[in-house]
Amino acid sequence: MRINDNVYYVGVNDRTKHRFEGLWPLPYGVSYNSYLIVDHDAVALVDTVDVAFFGEYIDKIKTVIADRPIDYLIINHMEPDHSGSIALIRKYYPGIKLVGNKKTMQMVQGFYDATADDDVCVADGDTLTLGHHELKFYLTPMLHWPETMMTFDTTNGTLFSGDAFGCFGALNGHVIDTQMEVAPYWAEMERYYACILGKFGAPVQAGLKKLANVPVKMICSTHGPVWTELIPQAITTYQRLATGQTEKGLVVCYGSMYGNTARMAEAVCEGAAEAGMKKIVVHNLSVSDISQVLADIFRYKALAIGSPTYNGGLFPVVDDLMRRLAGRNVGQHELALFGGFTWSSQAVKAMEAYNEKIKMHLVASPVEWKQGVTGNDLQSARQLGRMLAEQCNNMA
Ligand code: FEO
């Protein structure tokens, strides 16, 4: 599929995998994007695909270039959803030269034992000419791995961006943003960011800064649509998520065994609603998908978390959420905590300990109850909800 003068899309869709990275659900699948630049002097392949799709992939490549050899494989990112076919591509095209930076080459050797003496090791700002097309390499470490780089085609303004500006969601026939119903991909972009890049806000910002003056006309990411007219929206979305910008709204997350913590969560919601909060999202963590929970937390300013004490600590699904938050840069949020116990108070202490790392602003002292919740406990929970809403009402 031609997307731009001599640039072709040769990626594949994965509608089989249940969980990306073994962790994140894929209700709409995912695409592994790869691109061919067919120039008069040389052919370059940009990234590969998950090796499970190699048969389909090589057919797509052959459909574009028939028996012409590929001269270069540009490796922007080594995570195996993109690097998985490197060793087989090298076997199909023995004359191919791999193009990557020093860290890329170490990983190619470590993962696939597939480097060669005439591979091309590039540094930040280096260029490679294919004839008409000139490629310029921008090293963008930790976006998403240390070796990550982007490749800019200076001839036509196409940026091959690796995972950046990517999203979950397979491509349903169309590849380019202007030709498809793009709305579902924005939500999948937020979920993708929260799950995959949520830890790397600072490197994402550094990458965006590096690209600020690059005249990009088309973004070819490794996942999801090719961005053209909607480049500003894709960049704004990544910028917003990387800088922790939030909107007015409350996410209430809880775990509950016998309904006491659940009742407190309902009371938090009621208090927030009474104080004028319109957008309230509730997640029973024993039921909700954690990827959506994280995406909602990235989006909204206020967060309430409730947990019973369980085996001398936090209820496991709440512990899991807080551990994931501690490993991400979700930005500054207004936080309220509520927790219960039967004979030994541990949940609130454990949540407070996590927040020492997460560093959200506690709107009030945590609300704690022993055994069954009382009317007073529910009033305290309503007050937490009101305070969260009031903090949001003060947002600029
Ligand atoms: Fe799509 Fe970090 O790989």
Side-chain angles (χ1 to χ4, degrees), residues 9-309:
Y9 179 83
V10 289
V12 298
N13 286 313
D14 187 342
R15 303 179 197 273
T16 307
K17 187 171 280 171
H18 287 262
R19 288 180 183 270
F20 190 77
E21 294 183 338
L23 291 169
W24 316 109
L26 293 169
Y28 312 108
V30 66
S31 68
Y32 309 122
N33 299 345
S34 172
Y35 306 89
L36 262 180
I37 307 169
V38 183
D39 210 336
H40 50 75
D41 287 351
V43 173
L45 181 64
V46 183
D47 292 311
T48 71
V49 302
D50 187 315
V51 71
F53 295 84
F54 188 77
E56 178 184 348
Y57 180 50
I58 201 74
D59 277 353
K60 287 190 172 191
I61 291 170
K62 297 267 184 203
T63 299
V64 178
I65 57 171
D67 292 328
R68 190 174 169 187
I70 301 175
D71 301 277
Y72 298 104
L73 169 57
I74 315 293
I75 305 170
N76 285 323
H77 183 24
M78 275 300 294
E79 194 166 4
D81 50 334
H82 312 297
S83 70
S85 294
I86 287 176
L88 285 175
I89 283 289
R90 176 139 249 173
K91 283 203 168 80
Y92 265 74
Y93 298 99
I96 200 168
K97 293 182 175 68
L98 308 188
V99 180
N101 57 72
K102 198 172 164 191
K103 288 180 179 161
T104 317
M105 295 308 178
Q106 289 165 353
M107 291 188 189
V108 171
Q109 190 58 26
F111 272 108
Y112 306 111
D113 189 19
T115 53
D117 290 343
D118 58 353
D119 288 338
V120 182
C121 189
V122 296
D124 192 41
D126 282 359
T127 58
L128 175 72
T129 302
L130 305 176
H132 175 60
H133 292 259
E134 182 197 57
L135 304 180
K136 185 169 184 180
F137 305 103
Y138 291 89
L139 269 55
T140 52
M142 302 317 298
L143 208 174
H144 151 227
W145 280 12
E147 87 300 353
T148 309
M149 65 182 198
M150 297 190 193
T151 300
F152 182 62
D153 187 333
T154 62
T155 317
N156 58 16
T158 300
L159 179 70
F160 300 95
S161 64
D163 283 345
F165 313 112
C167 60
F168 292 136
L171 295 170
N172 302 332
H174 294 297
V175 170
I176 295 175
D177 56 359
T178 51
Q179 299 169 1
M180 65 173 71
E181 174 51 74
V182 82
Y185 294 99
W186 296 124
E188 285 296 84
M189 181 178 277
E190 297 199 17
R191 204 169 61 85
Y192 175 85
Y193 184 95
C195 298
I196 308 300
L197 294 171
K199 180 180 170 64
F200 304 110
V204 171
Q205 288 181 60
L208 290 170
K209 196 171 169 191
K210 197 166 196 172
L211 296 168
N213 295 316
V214 178
V216 178
K217 294 185 182 147
M218 175 177 271
I219 294 179
C220 294
S221 159
T222 46
H223 300 290
V226 166
W227 303 112
T228 59
E229 287 182 15
L230 298 175
I231 285 174
Q233 193 168 341
I235 291 177
T236 301
T237 300
Y238 265 69
Q239 185 86 43
R240 169 168 61 79
L241 293 164
T243 53
Q245 293 172 58
T246 49
E247 61 186 74
K248 197 180 289 187
L250 167 64
V251 186
V252 179
C253 300
Y254 70 93
S256 189
M257 286 180 280
Y258 300 108
N260 287 293
T261 313
R263 287 183 67 194
M264 292 290 276
E266 300 291 349
V268 171
C269 296
E270 289 163 14
E274 284 163 17
M277 178 71 83
K278 281 191 177 165
K279 188 71 190 179
I280 303 173
V281 183
V282 182
H283 289 293
N284 176 347
L285 296 172
S286 296
V287 176
S288 291
D289 160 41
I290 190 69
S291 70
Q292 191 56 54
V293 175
L294 292 171
D296 287 336
I297 291 173
F298 265 89
R299 173 172 277 265
Y300 296 115
K301 178 74 174 172
L303 173 63
I305 305 178
S307 177
T309 296

